């Protein structure tokens, strides 16, 4: 049988590539002659670079030193694709995990712009930008400054020939009660009494670019980096859909007998454009006879769309009696999940 394994990362515990590999190892233990194809997925946040690196033969990581979110240097990398495009992940250059403490007023997205500039300087002919996991709420101004923007609005470097695709699963506008400061500011340390002030700062920044609509869905992504990239002329795409398209997932799904997807927590939000829902929909369209299966750290929503599923928390409880072991050693239980699902496949 042909098995396609296309999970998201299990946030904070394991990358999509590692989870996919563990599921494959378990599956092949039970069914060693099956053809198992790995397509680790992402939604534009942490793990986007890893997903592309694993799924695209010939992709090469290029190291780069950039300004981290705290203003100090951090070692990061961008990914060169064989077609000449580059993948740059904001979480790896300007993300929350890079901070020792929250910096609601001073965290910067500049390093993301520096990594983009480095990729362009190295000859990238197009860009795929993942903007999840931002530590800042600066409207993307430092990104554009790193790309040459001057105070008078001139100097911004041209888009590469193949354009710029921005991957995000956020549809918030830049401003207002559903905007960057109000919705995502608290997780970055912005206190309720400071939300209005930060929103006003973003409004003043947006007013410099009357040709760009700050109500555009996704303009508020990554603390407003989405808006900054719209100013540059980039195209926003729903994260998991965009990753699937760039990875060629529809073509890889054709002829599959089983399609396995997953994420850390499968819940009521999973149907709203998260990786499992995107993979499931694509499989239904191009491989309608394939059996859909799910692996998740925890399963908290109905499984009506899946032929079989495995919860790492349940497997840990059954194996060690300690459900928290699923968080401590997710790959062990993802491997067990692969074995279980292979047995269910018959």
């Amino acid at each position: 049988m042909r098995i396609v394994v296309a999970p998201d990362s299990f946030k904070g515990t394991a990358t999509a590539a590692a989870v996919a590999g563990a599921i494959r190892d378990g599956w092949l233990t039970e069914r060693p002659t099956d053809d198992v194809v790995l397509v680790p997925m992402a939604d534009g946040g942490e793990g986007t670079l890893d997903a592309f690196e694993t799924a695209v033969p010939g992709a090469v990581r290029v190291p780069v030193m950039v300004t981290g979110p705290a203003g100090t240097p951090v070692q990061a990398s961008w990914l060169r694709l064989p077609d000449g495009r580059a993948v740059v992940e904001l979480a790896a250059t300007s993300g929350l995990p890079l901070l020792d403490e929250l910096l609601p007023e001073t965290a910067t997205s500049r390093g993301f712009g520096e990594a983009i500039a480095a990729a362009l300087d190295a000859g990238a002919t197009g860009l795929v930008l993942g903007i999840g996991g931002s530590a800042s709420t600066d409207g993307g101004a430092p990104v554009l400054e790193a790309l040459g923007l001057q105070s008078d609005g001139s100097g911004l470097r041209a888009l590469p020939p193949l354009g710029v695709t921005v991957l995000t699963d956020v549809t918030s506008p830049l401003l207002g009660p559903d905007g960057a400061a109000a919705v995502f500011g608290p997780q970055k340390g912005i206190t309720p009494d400071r939300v209005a002030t930060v929103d006003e700062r973003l409004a003043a920044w947006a007013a410099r670019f009357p040709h760009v609509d700050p109500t555009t869905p996704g303009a508020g992504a990554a603390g407003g980096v989405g808006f900054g990239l719209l100013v540059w002329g980039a195209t926003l795409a729903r994260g998991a859909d965009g990753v699937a398209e760039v990875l060629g997932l529809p073509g890889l799904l054709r002829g599959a007998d089983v399609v396995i997807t997953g994420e850390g927590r499968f819940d009521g939000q999973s149907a709203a454009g998260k990786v499992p829902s995107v993979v499931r929909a694509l499989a239904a369209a191009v491989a309608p006879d394939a059996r859909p299966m799910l692996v998740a750290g925890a399963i908290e929503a109905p499984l009506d769309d899946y032929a079989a599923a495995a919860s790492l928390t349940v497997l840990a409880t059954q194996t060690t009696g300690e459900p928290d072991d699923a968080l401590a050693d997710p790959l062990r239980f993802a491997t067990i999940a692969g074995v279980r699902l292979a047995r269910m496949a018959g």
Side-chain angles (χ1 to χ4, degrees), residues 261 266 292-296 299 303 306-312 315 337 340-341 344:
T261 187
F266 183 79
M293 297 185 177
L294 176 79
V295 177
I299 296 175
L303 294 166
Y306 295 92
S311 161
L312 304 194
L315 291 176
R340 298 284 182 90
L341 293 181
M344 295 178 192

Side-chain angles (χ1 to χ4, degrees), residues 1-3 24-36 257-258 291 293 338-346:
M1 293 199 302
R2 177 179 170 84
I3 318 301
R24 174 197 57 197
D25 293 346
W27 186 282
L28 291 177
T29 298
E30 188 70 18
R31 297 180 56 91
T33 62
D34 283 350
D35 175 24
V36 181
D257 297 292
V258 173
R291 282 176 285 178
M293 297 185 177
V339 173
R340 298 284 182 90
L341 293 181
R343 289 174 182 169
M344 295 178 192

Side-chain angles (χ1 to χ4, degrees), residues 211-284:
H211 63 289
V212 180
D213 185 357
T215 69
T216 302
V225 168
F227 176 82
L229 294 172
L230 286 171
V231 169
W232 191 27
T235 300
L236 302 187
R238 193 166 72 165
D241 289 306
V243 172
E245 179 181 351
V246 176
L247 294 183
L249 182 60
L252 295 170
L253 289 170
R254 289 189 178 92
D257 297 292
V258 173
V259 176
I260 304 173
T261 187
E263 62 182 341
R265 183 178 300 277
F266 183 79
D267 57 21
Q269 300 299 313
S270 298
K274 298 293 187 180
V275 165
S277 67
V278 170
V279 173
R280 178 70 188 92
L282 286 174

Side-chain angles (χ1 to χ4, degrees), residues 23 32 107 147 318 325:
I23 294 171
L147 293 170
Q318 294 173 344
D325 286 350

Side-chain angles (χ1 to χ4, degrees), residues 182-201:
V183 175
F184 303 106
Q187 71 190 41
K188 302 171 186 180
I190 298 176
T191 55
D193 62 301
R194 292 290 299 168
V195 167
T197 299
V198 176
D199 203 53
E200 290 171 4
R201 187 185 307 153

